[in-house]
Amino acid sequence: MKKVIWYVLHNSPEIDAYMNEFESERPDSDMQQEFPRWFETKLGKLYTTNDPSCTPDLFALACGPSSTATSVNSCVVNGVKFVVHSRDVKRTTQNSGICSPGEKEGEMYYGQLEEILEFAYTQFKVVLFRVKWFDLAKRGLFKALEGYQYALGFRKAKFRELAMDVRKSLHMNTGEGESSYANNSFLQETVILKTLPVLKHAIKDLFSHDPAFIQCFRIADLGCSSSKNTLLVAFNIINIVDEACKENDRKAPQFEVCLNDLYGNDFNNIFKLLPDFYAKLKKEKGENFGPCFVLAVPGSFYGRLFPDQSFHLVHSSYSLHWLSQVPEGLEDNRLNIYLGKTSPPNVFQAYEKQFDMDFTMFLQMRSKEIVHGGRMVLALLCRSMADSTSNDSGYKWKLLAKTLLDMVEEGLVQESDIISFNMPLYFPCEDEVRTIILNEGSFSINKLDVFQGNWDPYDTDYTNMKDSNEASQIHGKNAANVVRAVSEPLLASHFGNSIVEEVFMRYGKYVAEHLAKKKTRYYNLVVSLTKL
């Protein structure tokens, strides 16, 4: 236990000042052996005098953990599930691999997760990993921490800093198969076409207010994904710019199109489409038009992506409802995988807070990257009312949770896996989006509008409630494929690949039953902004 206490203290930067004080007072003392007791005494005195510097977390660190630890087979850190090797060997996907930077620059240790221990402090829990390390050069076991193998520690308050990022698991289904995003993105295409008038107005308004000649019109499409929709957006924008230039008696500029998405995005699929894209431009616009340069920039749009004042137009469609991470503090969400009727108030607050932080950060980053007077057009899923569990936002995830719970009853899925899984997304209402934009202050709102679309994007009849059983099954399968195309990588990473087919076959039936009773619709929001 002494080694555990020291390891946690040694990896808590908030007590560095106390460690420096101890070294000054006792330069010849053994830090590892004597500091924990000194620190406990020091904080105890501060606590009894109500010193404000003695925060609850510091006092908890000083008091140490409970005397016994809980051994668990898995844990979730920042949306990523870690599984001990003994359980992982039976699975198709492997989550028991660990890597950790060494003390030297560029040095990395790689190992296998053998045990997960949870230690309870009064204010938080600490998770320690016992890891079997490997020396890749010698292809043999490497005891990196001799005599003490608990090599990685995660305190819940610091998950965002220390854990693997959910961004590595979040991407659309790759390839061109039946369940791929490329073949199940008609919903997203419909949204792109629906928002085209807003995009056209933003671009034409930009050109009417900026008489200066733009030699190269720079466009960023954030969360571009990997279907034909990606280049459809670019082509639409180029068409509108060309039209605006003709209306203002100006020559069309050159174009630079930066396509952005997370690292797991199937950029190769986009590259395969580029020859046809360039050929179409040349055919419709002529040999002397442009030219147009298309670039791919992987990374999270919740951080900086480009140099200052790089772009005239930023576009994002159906991406901003995805969060940068699973919100913290969802332990009480139990058998929900998103916000549900049984979710406690703190879970709703955690999701709202995460979206507020993420969207604010997105606006702050773009404000640095867009030129003064530049435009931004954003489309995202939202909800129609204040109730976060309304059918137009959270109900499809309730049906997915119901599917997984059925499989728990049959022994196909472990209940603990559902408890530890939450979707990293949030569907805001109009007022939330408007308030965050106004509070951040870098952009003015030109237009904020909403529109709806069926769960099955191929079903254009929004009122017929007398579909045949066959038609209902088709609607259910189409709607389930939309959800599968965007969520399968996350589900496979957490639950394993082996259950995916069964999950979505059952899920499609639940969706079909629901749509036979009520044709629930997606609620979409589009907002046009100008950089102040």
Side-chain angles (χ1 to χ4, degrees):
M1 182 58 70
K2 288 184 178 180
K3 290 182 178 180
V4 170
I5 293 172
W6 169 247
Y7 186 80
V8 174
L9 291 174
H10 186 59
N11 287 277
S12 299
E14 61 266 50
I15 68 169
D16 284 352
Y18 292 99
M19 286 190 166
N20 292 336
E21 182 181 344
F22 176 83
E23 285 183 325
S24 297
E25 288 183 7
R26 306 181 182 186
D28 298 324
S29 297
D30 185 324
M31 173 75 79
Q32 182 172 342
Q33 294 296 324
E34 299 181 32
F35 174 77
R37 180 61 181 166
W38 177 91
F39 182 56
E40 182 181 3
T41 303
K42 177 80 173 181
L43 268 289
K45 292 178 180 178
L46 295 177
Y47 179 80
T48 55
T49 58
N50 294 317
D51 192 304
S53 66
C54 182
T55 65
D57 275 9
L58 280 178
F59 188 62
L61 276 173
C63 293
S66 58
S67 58
T68 58
T70 302
S71 180
V72 295
N73 290 327
S74 64
C75 68
V76 176
V77 179
N78 199 22
V80 177
K81 185 176 184 179
F82 295 89
V83 180
V84 295
H85 180 66
S86 60
R87 181 177 170 187
D88 217 12
V89 291
K90 303 175 183 178
R91 297 193 166 208
T92 304
T93 54
Q94 302 288 302
N95 289 333
S96 61
I98 292 290
C99 65
S100 178
E103 296 181 358
K104 299 178 182 178
E105 184 177 353
E107 184 180 52
M108 290 294 292
Y109 292 135
Y110 297 88
Q112 182 174 285
L113 183 52
E114 296 293 304
E115 186 179 17
I116 302 172
L117 291 178
E118 284 187 352
F119 293 87
Y121 287 69
T122 57
Q123 296 293 319
F124 47 79
K125 289 182 179 179
V126 170
V127 181
L128 292 184
F129 290 172
R130 182 168 64 84
V131 181
K132 181 188 291 183
W133 296 105
F134 291 91
D135 184 346
L136 297 185
K138 297 181 180 179
R139 299 180 182 271
L141 180 62
F142 178 49
K143 297 179 181 177
L145 298 175
E146 190 169 338
Y148 188 66
Q149 298 181 67
Y150 292 95
L152 296 176
F154 301 102
R155 208 170 90 196
K156 286 193 175 182
K158 296 189 175 185
F159 275 178
R160 192 181 309 164
E161 297 173 21
L162 297 172
M164 290 172 60
D165 206 312
V166 73
R167 292 174 295 182
K168 296 178 181 178
S169 306
L170 178 58
H171 58 82
M172 307 299 102
N173 262 356
T174 59
E176 299 177 355
E178 183 181 352
S179 61
S180 68
Y181 179 78
N183 286 323
N184 292 281
S185 54
F186 184 63
L187 170 65
Q188 288 80 356
E189 180 182 347
T190 302
V191 171
I192 289 169
L193 296 177
K194 286 267 192 179
T195 58
L196 194 57
V198 178
L199 186 62
K200 181 177 290 188
H201 183 271
I203 294 172
K204 291 194 172 183
D205 191 55
L206 170 63
F207 274 82
S208 67
H209 285 85
D210 184 8
F213 178 72
I214 300 175
Q215 186 175 0
C216 182
F217 190 77
R218 292 186 170 87
I219 306 155
D221 187 17
L222 308 183
C224 66
S225 196
S226 57
S227 72
K228 62 180 182 180
N229 294 338
T230 302
L231 296 178
L232 172 64
V233 170
F235 199 87
N236 287 341
I237 292 172
I238 291 170
N239 265 339
I240 297 169
V241 171
D242 186 32
E243 187 178 316
C245 287
K246 289 176 179 175
E247 291 174 357
N248 290 276
D249 296 320
R250 294 160 63 174
K251 179 185 176 183
Q254 298 180 16
F255 295 89
E256 181 179 286
V257 180
C258 289
L259 306 176
N260 157 261
D261 212 313
L262 294 175
Y263 302 100
N265 186 53
D266 192 357
F267 286 104
N268 282 335
N269 195 55
I270 301 174
F271 299 152
K272 292 174 184 177
L273 301 173
L274 280 176
D276 289 342
F277 171 77
Y278 288 130
K280 184 178 180 182
L281 266 184
K282 186 178 294 185
K283 180 180 178 180
E284 295 193 13
K285 302 296 182 182
E287 293 283 345
N288 297 322
F289 183 81
C292 174
F293 304 94
V294 178
L295 314 172
V297 182
S300 170
F301 52 49
Y302 292 121
R304 283 296 297 270
L305 293 167
F306 310 105
D308 290 350
Q309 300 188 38
S310 298
F311 293 99
H312 303 96
L313 175 70
V314 168
H315 173 270
S316 181
S317 183
Y318 257 43
S319 296
L320 280 163
H321 46 262
W322 290 103
L323 302 173
S324 66
Q325 65 172 54
V326 175
E328 297 176 356
L330 302 187
E331 293 84 1
D332 297 332
N333 207 26
R334 302 299 293 172
L335 300 179
N336 299 298
I337 64 171
Y338 181 59
L339 296 173
K341 297 290 186 183
T342 59
S343 297
N346 68 294
V347 171
F348 285 89
Q349 293 164 7
Y351 268 103
E352 291 165 6
K353 180 182 178 182
Q354 189 65 51
F355 179 78
D356 189 306
M357 291 191 302
D358 283 349
F359 191 40
T360 298
M361 182 63 69
F362 176 88
L363 295 171
Q364 291 174 348
M365 298 301 99
R366 303 297 82 76
S367 71
K368 299 177 187 296
E369 298 167 354
I370 299 175
V371 300
H372 176 73
R375 305 304 162 101
M376 187 155 63
V377 176
L378 312 173
L380 62 153
L381 278 166
C382 60
R383 65 180 191 271
S384 60
M385 57 187 74
D387 183 3
S388 298
T389 64
S390 59
N391 281 359
D392 56 30
S393 63
Y395 198 75
K396 59 182 174 291
W397 303 109
K398 177 182 178 179
L399 293 178
L400 185 56
K402 185 178 180 181
T403 303
L404 292 167
L405 288 171
D406 285 349
M407 297 175 71
V408 169
E409 294 295 323
E410 297 175 30
L412 301 175
V413 172
Q414 293 196 16
E415 183 177 292
S416 59
D417 285 347
I418 300 178
I419 292 173
S420 61
F421 181 78
N422 289 280
M423 292 298 295
L425 45 72
Y426 180 72
F427 308 117
C429 62
E430 291 179 60
D431 286 344
E432 284 179 280
V433 173
R434 182 182 288 106
T435 298
I436 294 171
I437 293 170
L438 294 177
N439 287 344
E440 194 279 328
S442 298
F443 296 87
S444 62
I445 300 175
N446 305 318
K447 186 176 182 63
L448 193 155
D449 203 0
V450 295
F451 59 94
Q452 299 178 67
N454 273 349
W455 275 14
D456 176 5
Y458 296 99
D459 179 14
T460 56
D461 186 346
Y462 302 121
T463 58
N464 178 25
M465 295 305 300
K466 297 180 180 179
D467 285 332
S468 66
N469 181 63
E470 182 181 359
S472 294
Q473 293 302 316
I474 292 173
H475 296 328
K477 182 177 180 180
N478 289 342
N481 282 343
V482 170
V483 173
R484 178 174 182 173
V486 302
S487 64
E488 179 176 341
L490 280 172
L491 289 166
S493 174
H494 189 83
F495 295 97
N497 282 319
S498 60
I499 69 163
V500 168
E501 288 294 336
E502 183 69 19
V503 166
F504 286 102
M505 182 188 71
R506 297 182 184 215
Y507 178 62
K509 293 179 180 178
Y510 273 134
V511 174
E513 291 174 7
H514 172 75
L515 293 178
K517 301 173 185 175
K518 181 179 181 180
K519 286 200 172 179
T520 309
R521 306 181 71 187
Y522 288 109
Y523 203 68
N524 306 291
L525 180 147
V526 58
V527 59
S528 174
L529 307 173
T530 296
K531 165 69 186 304
L532 298 174

